[in-house]
Amino acid sequence: MSAHFVLPPAAAGVNPHRHARTLAQIPLLDPVLYQPHAQRPVRSKMRELDRDTLIMPHAHAWAQLAISTGGVIRLSLADATYIVPPHRAVWVPPGVEHAVTMVETARLYTLYFLPEAYGGGPQARWMAAPDWQQCRVLEASPLLRALVVEMDTGSDEAAPLSPAVVAREHHLSALICEELRRARIMHLGVLLPQDKRLKNLCEAVLQDPTRHERLEDWVLDTGASLRTVARLFRSELGCTFTQWRQQVVLAQAVALAARHWSIAQIAAELGYTPSAFSALVRRTVGMTAAAFLGQGLGAP
């Protein structure tokens, strides 16, 4: 599967934050002031944002990479939300409407990439590949994080950059693109269902995945039989309820890890022993729990 961590949808009349704490909505920094162009095909902006800050839904004609320092961000699309800790980044193709929520206080770096069709040149051809036409969560290497921090974050209202600074930006952006192409893709999570009964159940699990463990207990409020719900999980989501819930558990673990919880604390919070949780992570994503949760990685 090519989906990622998924939380309730942001469109079709569903508010992805209706179970969350009260959010402080803030206006956009006019993205046109950071618009990439042929002379500067990769641009960057940075905002220091408090926990529970929501940047309202928006879209633009260029691709975007969102990465934070020190906190978790939640990027919501029309049908999914991506949970992104500091050691990962999320890619958004051109034209995709999205909103960003700060789960923890952090600096949010947003990089804009000019597609080849808009003047990005041959060096932007990689972005036209089919794999880059969908959102994806990527491992952010220490080099990628260091390069992002070094990019100029001034808007077009700032003083023009000197030729030397522009040349340095070209070198930095070329390395950023190379690191993105080499980055490991995190294929985690499942798509959300269309069936209203199953969607309501999934939202309840996403709100509190530890409330019940058995599907039999979750179906009580759906108005559907256990057999029907189990069939819907397979037909709409391509997996069993247990497999789907495990992905939700991993998403919750990512957010808890950003609070500097130990693996033992995270496991206990999610209803696992440390050994059982570590086995779940290795079985699901093929890496140790410490590597998956970014524990031991240096800060940007």
Side-chain angles (χ1 to χ4, degrees):
M1 287 182 288
S2 60
H4 300 72
F5 290 142
V6 178
L7 291 178
V14 179
N15 180 357
H17 308 291
R18 67 189 180 96
H19 300 305
R21 299 177 295 267
T22 301
L23 299 174
Q25 299 181 4
I26 62 172
L28 294 174
L29 287 179
D30 188 353
V32 174
L33 295 177
Y34 298 85
Q35 181 173 347
H37 48 79
Q39 289 72 41
R40 300 180 66 188
V42 180
R43 299 286 300 275
S44 176
K45 71 178 181 182
M46 185 276 289
R47 302 184 76 172
E48 295 188 5
L49 299 175
D50 293 330
R51 177 182 180 181
D52 296 333
T53 297
L54 169 64
I55 301 175
M56 297 302 292
H58 61 284
H60 29 67
W62 46 87
Q64 171 181 311
L65 185 78
I67 183 171
S68 74
T69 60
V72 175
I73 63 176
R74 178 178 298 165
L75 188 137
S76 300
L77 278 63
D79 60 355
T81 294
Y82 299 82
I83 303 297
V84 188
H87 58 287
R88 301 208 172 103
V90 61
W91 172 265
V92 183
V96 175
E97 186 176 77
H98 54 281
V100 178
T101 304
M102 303 303 296
V103 180
E104 305 289 343
T105 299
R107 290 183 177 182
L108 174 63
Y109 287 87
T110 305
L111 274 66
Y112 297 138
F113 297 78
L114 187 67
E116 182 183 17
Y118 288 84
Q123 68 271 17
R125 190 163 297 158
W126 61 276
M127 288 186 283
D131 288 347
W132 292 94
Q133 302 311 304
Q134 58 184 346
C135 289
R136 50 171 51 180
V137 175
L138 304 167
E139 285 285 358
S141 68
L143 176 57
L144 176 60
R145 300 198 303 269
L147 292 168
V148 166
V149 172
E150 287 296 316
M151 288 285 289
D152 181 84
T153 57
S155 74
D156 287 342
E157 292 180 333
L161 301 182
S162 68
V165 173
V166 172
R168 182 173 185 268
E169 184 178 76
H170 275 275
H171 294 310
L172 291 172
S173 60
L175 283 172
I176 287 172
C177 291
E178 179 64 20
E179 283 298 291
L180 289 180
R181 292 196 295 270
R182 295 165 53 92
R184 176 174 179 170
I185 303 168
M186 303 304 296
H187 294 293
L188 296 170
V190 292
L191 296 177
L192 287 173
Q194 297 299 314
D195 183 90
K196 183 177 180 180
R197 296 165 297 178
L198 188 59
K199 182 177 289 186
N200 289 337
L201 184 151
C202 289
E203 290 181 4
V205 177
L206 289 161
Q207 180 184 357
D208 182 9
T210 63
R211 184 169 52 170
H212 304 300
E213 185 172 350
R214 302 185 309 160
L215 180 58
E216 291 90 330
D217 298 319
W218 288 103
V219 301
L220 295 178
D221 297 326
T222 64
S225 68
L226 174 61
R227 178 176 296 181
T228 297
V229 172
R231 176 180 55 81
L232 287 171
F233 264 102
R234 289 191 176 277
S235 62
E236 294 211 19
L237 301 178
C239 63
T240 66
F241 167 75
T242 298
Q243 292 168 331
W244 186 85
R245 180 178 173 273
Q246 287 174 346
Q247 305 303 325
V248 178
V249 167
L250 295 181
Q252 295 280 1
V254 167
L256 294 175
R259 302 176 190 172
H260 307 291
W261 286 28
S262 69
I263 292 177
Q265 290 174 310
I266 293 171
E269 178 72 12
L270 297 174
Y272 289 79
T273 64
S275 60
F277 176 74
S278 296
L280 169 65
V281 173
R282 184 176 290 278
R283 182 174 65 251
T284 306
V285 301
M287 61 177 68
T288 67
F292 171 70
L293 298 174
Q295 296 188 1
L297 294 177

